[in-house]
Amino acid sequence: MCRLAAITSKDYISPMETILALETMKEGHDGSGLGLTLKNLGGEFEKLKKYPILSGICSKTGKKTLDDFMNKQGFKLKHEWKPKIKPVKGIVARDCYFARAYDYPASYKNKSIQEKESLLMNTRLALRRIGEPGESIFAFSFYPDVITLKEVGDPLEVAEFFGLDRDGLKAKIVLAQGRQNTNYAIYLYACHPFFIQGYCSMTNGENTAFVPIREFLMSRGFSGYIGYNSDSEVFTHILHYTVRQLGFPLNYYKDVITPLKPSEIEQRKDSEALRLMKHSLRPLCIDGPNMVIGFAPDGTCFMVQDSKKLRPGVVGGVKGKYALMSEECGVDKAVPKRDRSKDIFPMKYDMVIVSPDAQEVKVWNQLQG
Amino acid sequence: MEPASGIRLDHNHKLSLREFPYIIRWREDRCKRCGKCTSVCPVKAIEPTVKVQRVVKSEGPVPTPAAVRSITHVVEQVTDMERYCTGCGTCTLVCPNEAIEPEFNPQHKFLHYKNKGGDGYKRGGRRNDPSISTLDRLKFTRISMLTDPALDAGRHEFRVRSLIGRILPPEELPLKMVNGKLVVDKESRFIPPVREIFPIMIGSMSIGALSPPMWEGLAMGVAYLNEVEGLPVVMASGEGGMPPGLLRSKYLKYFIIQIASGYFGWDEIIHSLPHMVEDPAAIEIKYGQGAKPGDGGLLMAQKVLKLIAKIRGVPQFVDLASPPTHQTKYSIEEAVAKMIQSMSMAWGFRVPVYPKISGTKTARAVLNNLARNPYAAALSIDGEDGGTGAAYNVSMDKMGHPIASNLRECYLDLVRQGKQNELPLIAAGGIGKKGNLAANAAALIMLGASAVAIGKYIMQATADCFGDEYNRCNLCNTGKCPRGITTQDPKLYRRLDSDRVAERVVEVFKAADVELRKIFAPMGRSTELPIGMSDGLSIDDQAMAERLGISYAC
Ligand code: SF4
Ligand code: SF4
């Protein structure tokens, strides 16, 4: 079972804080990989908030292809961050890891957010398509104020390898996953967290209904619903589909992935809508075992369980800094000075929602709506 | 010329018993000559007769063998193809001494002769193919193990339920947000009716084809399952209407009413409409039947007794033939749409209306048309292994399409269009052929079916129907059903106890519910049906695996 660690804070924090918290849960993952998503960036990216950042990895030849492609699309490089690689035994360094802030093509300057978002996503997908065959380019995310890093290896060692302990890279939200490789080959696109157009999530556990969910998403006519090297990627896409595409409030994500029974629906004020949703979104129902941690574009973070709560999860912290972790020891590491009695262990009906800048934690109970 | 003694020398045109599909094994030493077997045989395949035998006897203290002629009574199988032994075994059932038994003869030449008078062989039952069907070759191979805890069929909550009815795509849901909550904006669009059902339903078998106790037994069982057991099992009426009392009862909601090309029974149904207290579960428009594609329905005159004549609105004792096609049907775009529309309108658009077709290579064309029709509530596809009460053997044995690949290609077609959840597919034909009801149903669900329909299986499991794929019995068309299932003759149907049928219906569905959980639990599916979860399936044949888009396992 993978271990998940997320910290949301009003101040910029180093990603190392999240990785050290993840490290405390080490017995839960086999060090087969680390995935890291940073949102609301500080440090050298603090002044570049409106520029989309392309995060990825490329080979030497891939770099040329990447530059040519981005130039041709009209993107102008504004700033580039490269990790200060420190060779670590066991991690095979690839040629070039990067997070590059670009300026939009001139023709997009005055376009709406939605149009910009589709340009960014389609550019990322095009790069993925070009670079995937020979693994010359990996593009993990391309979005303003978001960086994604992924590499195979023990999380702490990967962090050292990236030099995150010596780097000034900072963010207000950091999601990290220590991968426990199961039935799929270790492949960078299979590492969590997954990101699409401002929505991000990571999860542990398998997804038994992966195939019908994937088929449903892929048949929505939305070009971003591809990939699926991991069965968990659909959790991110369901989030995106529910909130962005269908326009439902965030808490309905819970109703989509773990719909209530008809008798329980009757108790909700929005029962009529839920009944229709349960039918229409039937293929997106998950069965667990899963605990999902994610964020929405506005910086709201959440934790949610499968309908039987087959995976652990805990949220704790203080106003201004909350940790969402697989295990209590992770929260202890991230926010040691807190009232532990207030820690939240969400049960099967709960969705823990931490507001932007970690101002407030709410437990939304699905039964009560 | 025959000699005066009357002994024929030339038996040239007489058939030998070796040509017959079943040969009766009669044991003279056990038979007490009670005559039960000969009187019960539905086809008079055996008869009592007298034989003169030469027996060597010895009496007295020392052996003094002497040949004597004795006259004995024997039971003899006739060699008239019109009275062939069907292998039903009713004679065995009634024999007090286990003296008689039919034995299947694999070398028979039955079909070479069964066309007397220039008419092809007609029968009931289903395709005579005893080989292992595709459904029975499918295995559930993705078992949740240590990486993802399997669910516990006994402890975890399971909901083995499905939907029939047109389901709106999420993008078209008439929802709006009021104070952060979603509410339904009813004015903005039509919301089609959807029913939640148990994924195994009893398929269409008409009240004329079935005897009163059989139909009643099924209906009572279904009502009990719904009302007492909380299992929403539905049953389809078949063509020929429903008893008026049932049409006006609260139990109507557990029934799917069928309309077929003969429109039998619809006079009564239309007249009952104003008095209905519940809507039916759905309306099924029958365009085809898997057992006999291209063939209409046929209720033989001998089955059209008083009650049947009344329900169907026809005179007694006439052959009731439904045409192979709806007479009004000349194009799918128009006629089918109109039919769906009219049926929907009759119940104020509160009842799902769907067509049923026989399995065919052209199923996808029908499907695509329905996918574009927002009122089409489902598509039921009946594969070649479906059963029937009466049809030409050639239609049953040779016409039609197996259900597995037909269903699968339809499902994948819907997936390509993103409509896999909008238009539920109902699969039928050969489910439970070898007794594996839950496994066959689960396999079809994982290939993409929302529900499956059973017919022959339920007759076998609840009323001990003799029929099998060795052409055993299959007299359903003759009105002489020895089990009292498919007959209107009170002398025969009084053998069948409707309460016992109902009891068995309940047992069958409860057991299927448990078995479905036992399949779904280790595959990690509990809250929704694993519709299209094809990665859970494998088959031991590369070509089949490829055709079905699943993995190969051996
Ligand atoms: S098996 Fe059936 S058909 Fe054959 S002799 Fe016995 S009762 Fe008659
Ligand atoms: S027992 Fe009755 S229903 Fe079954 S095959 Fe024989 S005639 Fe048909």
Side-chain angles (χ1 to χ4, degrees):
Chain A
M1 181 176 77
C2 307
R3 290 297 191 269
L4 311 176
I7 299 176
T8 167
S9 152
K10 75 172 172 7
D11 304 312
Y12 292 112
I13 59 163
S14 159
M16 277 315 283
E17 284 195 32
T18 315
I19 291 161
L20 288 170
L22 185 66
E23 183 63 14
T24 63
M25 303 182 255
K26 188 164 179 164
E27 72 271 28
H29 54 82
D30 64 0
S32 60
L34 170 70
L36 204 57
T37 300
L38 288 73
K39 178 178 164 64
N40 294 354
L41 305 172
E44 56 198 86
F45 285 97
E46 196 176 346
K47 301 259 162 348
L48 298 163
K49 296 240 175 232
K50 61 177 182 160
Y51 299 108
I53 301 165
L54 177 67
S55 312
I57 305 174
C58 59
S59 65
K60 286 194 185 84
T61 50
K63 189 162 187 303
K64 168 129 189 15
T65 320
L66 174 75
D67 286 337
D68 290 350
F69 182 81
M70 294 305 274
N71 278 340
K72 212 165 132 215
Q73 297 294 307
F75 283 104
K76 275 188 259 346
L77 187 63
K78 289 285 294 180
H79 180 77
E80 178 164 21
W81 171 87
K82 283 186 184 166
K84 296 159 193 67
I85 298 292
K86 172 185 156 196
V88 170
K89 204 170 148 244
I91 301 176
V92 189
R94 297 169 211 249
D95 293 348
C96 174
Y97 301 85
F98 61 85
R100 294 165 148 203
Y102 284 94
D103 198 356
Y104 289 100
S107 59
Y108 270 79
K109 284 271 152 57
N110 301 320
K111 292 254 167 90
S112 69
I113 296 280
Q114 281 79 8
E115 283 168 301
K116 283 180 178 164
E117 281 181 333
S118 31
L119 170 76
L120 297 177
M121 187 186 73
N122 289 329
T123 308
R124 171 174 64 82
L125 295 177
L127 286 170
R128 179 180 172 147
R129 261 192 306 279
I130 298 166
E132 201 163 7
E135 298 196 4
S136 62
I137 304 170
F138 284 97
F140 302 125
S141 62
F142 189 20
Y143 201 76
D145 219 11
V146 170
I147 289 179
T148 306
L149 291 173
K150 291 179 184 182
E151 189 46 279
V152 178
D154 175 77
L156 193 60
E157 287 176 5
V158 173
E160 281 171 22
F161 167 77
F162 281 138
L164 296 178
D165 45 345
R166 291 162 290 126
D167 201 293
L169 200 60
K170 283 186 162 29
K172 286 185 178 176
I173 300 173
V174 181
L175 265 58
Q177 189 230 24
R179 190 171 160 73
Q180 171 66 46
N181 193 49
T182 50
N183 41 353
Y184 299 93
I186 303 174
Y187 183 51
L188 287 181
Y189 278 128
C191 288
H192 311 216
F194 300 101
F195 179 88
I196 185 164
Q197 293 189 325
Y199 297 86
C200 178
S201 80
M202 54 185 179
T203 182
N204 55 22
E206 304 292 303
N207 176 5
T208 50
F210 171 54
V211 167
I213 295 178
R214 178 186 64 188
E215 282 174 351
F216 189 78
L217 287 168
M218 289 180 81
S219 61
R220 291 303 91 199
F222 183 78
S223 58
Y225 297 156
I226 60 157
Y228 306 119
N229 299 92
S230 159
D231 58 2
S232 302
E233 191 163 10
V234 299
F235 287 82
T236 316
H237 292 182
I238 298 173
L239 174 68
H240 173 271
Y241 181 63
T242 308
V243 183
R244 185 184 190 268
Q245 303 301 94
L246 297 179
F248 297 168
L250 181 64
N251 54 283
Y252 283 94
Y253 178 57
K254 174 79 181 147
D255 287 314
V256 172
I257 58 171
T258 63
L260 292 173
K261 285 180 285 181
S263 56
E264 296 167 333
I265 287 180
E266 296 314 311
Q267 302 168 27
R268 287 265 298 265
K269 284 200 187 73
D270 48 0
S271 57
E272 262 192 309
L274 285 184
R275 263 196 299 273
L276 285 184
M277 274 173 60
K278 188 179 163 77
H279 290 172
S280 296
L281 292 154
R282 172 167 69 149
L284 296 183
C285 163
I286 62 146
D287 247 309
N290 300 106
M291 184 270 279
V292 190
I293 295 174
F295 65 72
D298 68 351
T300 304
C301 292
F302 68 86
M303 176 186 286
V304 78
Q305 300 281 352
D306 64 69
S307 60
K308 296 175 201 68
K309 189 181 160 93
L310 292 169
R311 289 284 190 243
V314 52
V315 179
V318 293
K319 186 174 174 178
K321 188 174 189 182
Y322 281 97
L324 302 87
M325 303 276 164
S326 286
E327 290 169 27
E328 182 81 355
C329 52
V331 186
D332 286 346
K333 181 76 185 169
V335 198
K337 290 199 188 87
R338 70 185 197 282
D339 181 355
R340 288 188 67 175
S341 66
K342 293 214 171 100
D343 286 356
I344 299 162
F345 296 86
M347 297 312 285
K348 60 181 191 174
Y349 292 118
D350 297 334
M351 181 167 190
V352 184
I353 297 174
V354 187
S355 65
D357 284 331
Q359 287 307 297
E360 197 189 9
V361 191
K362 268 198 210 146
V363 180
W364 181 82
N365 184 284
Q366 193 187 8
L367 267 186
Q368 281 137 28
Chain B
M1 227 180 92
E2 285 184 21
S5 67
I7 302 165
R8 284 186 58 165
L9 296 177
D10 175 10
H11 293 272
N12 206 21
H13 283 287
K14 197 174 166 200
L15 291 174
S16 89
L17 276 180
R18 301 299 300 164
E19 328 307 338
F20 283 75
Y22 286 89
I23 299 173
I24 284 294
R25 301 290 170 216
W26 174 73
R27 291 179 60 179
E28 182 176 14
D29 55 333
R30 285 178 171 245
C31 179
K32 66 169 186 176
R33 275 70 173 175
C34 67
K36 285 187 178 163
C37 57
T38 49
S39 64
V40 83
C41 175
V43 286
K44 304 283 166 254
I46 41 175
E47 54 191 23
T49 181
V50 178
K51 283 231 158 115
V52 178
Q53 285 176 334
R54 181 179 168 274
V55 236
V56 179
K57 276 195 178 166
S58 170
E59 281 169 4
V62 284
T64 48
V68 287
R69 284 163 70 88
S70 82
I71 294 174
T72 49
H73 297 275
V74 296
V75 172
E76 204 177 48
Q77 181 172 1
V78 298
T79 50
D80 172 2
M81 238 345 143
E82 293 316 291
R83 288 160 64 192
Y84 71 98
C85 167
T86 67
C88 68
T90 317
C91 50
T92 315
L93 272 184
V94 297
C95 177
N97 286 347
E98 289 162 41
I100 190 163
E101 198 176 24
E103 192 181 281
F104 181 64
N105 169 23
Q107 291 147 10
H108 71 83
K109 295 206 212 71
F110 178 60
L111 291 179
H112 294 63
Y113 304 108
K114 193 70 184 114
N115 45 20
K116 203 156 176 227
D119 197 11
Y121 169 42
K122 286 203 252 350
R123 64 177 178 92
R126 66 171 155 215
R127 195 165 71 99
N128 283 325
D129 177 5
S131 62
I132 305 284
S133 69
T134 310
L135 295 184
D136 272 321
R137 293 178 71 172
L138 289 161
K139 303 172 211 291
F140 307 101
T141 45
R142 198 204 66 201
I143 309 299
S144 297
M145 276 286 148
L146 302 171
T147 56
D148 50 337
L151 303 173
D152 180 340
R155 187 169 59 95
H156 286 120
E157 207 168 316
F158 276 75
R159 279 188 55 74
V160 184
R161 298 286 185 271
S162 194
L163 304 173
I164 44 171
R166 186 63 170 238
I167 299 158
L168 289 178
E171 294 83 4
E172 287 177 30
L173 282 175
L175 298 177
K176 58 181 182 192
M177 203 136 60
V178 177
N179 299 330
K181 286 202 180 354
L182 293 173
V183 295
V184 180
D185 182 4
K186 284 201 187 106
E187 304 306 306
S188 69
R189 67 156 296 151
F190 165 60
I191 302 172
V194 175
R195 302 277 193 269
E196 196 180 80
I197 60 162
F198 187 70
I200 303 176
M201 56 163 87
I202 299 182
S204 276
M205 288 180 287
S206 80
I207 195 162
L210 297 184
S211 65
M214 185 62 195
W215 211 88
E216 266 166 40
L218 293 178
M220 281 194 296
V222 164
Y224 185 93
L225 282 165
N226 279 276
E227 305 257 316
V228 182
E229 298 291 343
L231 268 193
V233 176
V234 293
M235 165 175 164
S237 71
E239 181 177 24
M242 289 175 60
L246 189 53
L247 284 172
R248 293 162 203 223
S249 79
K250 65 173 179 147
Y251 303 113
L252 182 62
K253 58 178 182 246
Y254 310 135
F255 292 85
I256 294 169
I257 312 182
Q258 191 187 67
I259 181 161
S261 54
Y263 303 149
F264 290 122
W266 275 80
D267 193 44
E268 180 68 41
I269 294 168
I270 299 292
H271 282 100
S272 300
L273 253 176
H275 310 285
M276 284 182 189
V277 290
E278 284 284 351
D279 290 328
I283 305 295
E284 178 176 273
I285 309 171
K286 179 186 155 190
Y287 288 102
Q289 192 174 338
K292 44 176 174 177
D295 232 350
L298 179 62
L299 191 65
M300 303 293 232
Q302 58 266 38
K303 283 182 147 188
V304 187
L305 296 167
K306 200 168 163 200
L307 174 73
I308 306 305
K310 183 173 179 310
I311 294 174
R312 294 201 172 196
V314 292
Q316 286 186 53
F317 305 114
V318 288
D319 273 345
L320 297 183
S322 306
T325 57
H326 287 252
Q327 298 305 297
T328 50
K329 184 181 78 177
Y330 52 92
S331 82
I332 181 168
E333 294 81 6
E334 201 193 342
V336 177
K338 266 188 193 156
M339 190 74 155
I340 292 174
Q341 204 84 359
S342 328
M343 286 293 129
S344 301
M345 216 178 308
W347 275 274
F349 292 88
R350 299 185 309 273
V351 177
V353 180
Y354 68 86
K356 168 177 157 177
I357 59 167
S358 51
T360 158
K361 277 186 177 178
T362 56
R364 280 165 60 203
V366 177
L367 178 80
N368 284 310
N369 198 279
L370 295 176
R372 288 194 295 274
N373 177 347
Y375 298 100
L379 174 64
S380 175
I381 307 172
D382 192 12
E384 63 167 354
D385 279 328
T388 178
Y392 279 98
N393 180 68
V394 67
S395 305
M396 266 192 251
D397 275 2
K398 300 294 172 197
M399 307 293 297
H401 198 296
I403 187 63
S405 61
N406 215 197
L407 180 271
R408 184 70 178 148
E409 62 190 359
C410 284
Y411 178 75
L412 290 177
D413 222 24
L414 288 175
V415 168
R416 273 189 285 279
Q417 300 172 53
K419 293 189 184 225
Q420 64 270 49
N421 189 48
E422 286 176 46
L423 194 72
L425 295 171
I426 303 166
I431 294 148
K433 193 170 157 184
K434 288 266 187 282
N436 304 310
L437 173 64
N440 291 172
L444 279 165
I445 289 168
M446 289 189 199
L447 289 176
S450 280
V452 301
I454 53 169
K456 191 71 184 171
Y457 176 89
I458 203 79
M459 290 161 82
Q460 292 168 326
T462 65
D464 315 310
C465 157
F466 292 130
D468 70 10
E469 287 67 49
Y470 291 92
N471 203 27
R472 183 175 169 198
C473 194
N474 287 346
L475 290 167
C476 332
N477 60 320
T478 61
K480 291 189 186 135
C481 171
R483 282 299 203 193
I485 305 167
T486 51
T487 176
Q488 300 302 328
D489 181 349
K491 286 206 286 294
L492 291 173
Y493 71 61
R494 71 171 177 225
R495 293 176 185 172
L496 192 63
D497 176 358
S498 56
D499 286 337
R500 166 119 179 93
V501 172
E503 244 175 74
R504 289 290 300 142
V505 169
V506 173
E507 286 173 352
V508 162
F509 277 94
K510 282 177 73 177
D513 187 38
V514 172
E515 287 189 357
L516 284 174
R517 290 163 199 233
K518 292 303 277 181
I519 296 170
F520 299 156
M523 307 188 81
R525 201 67 175 138
S526 65
T527 41
E528 282 294 346
L529 276 192
I531 298 172
M533 206 170 89
S534 53
D535 60 323
L537 287 176
S538 299
I539 198 161
D540 57 357
D541 179 282
Q542 187 74 52
M544 284 180 169
E546 215 168 285
R547 180 80 171 87
L548 296 174
I550 58 173
S551 62
Y552 164 73
C554 56

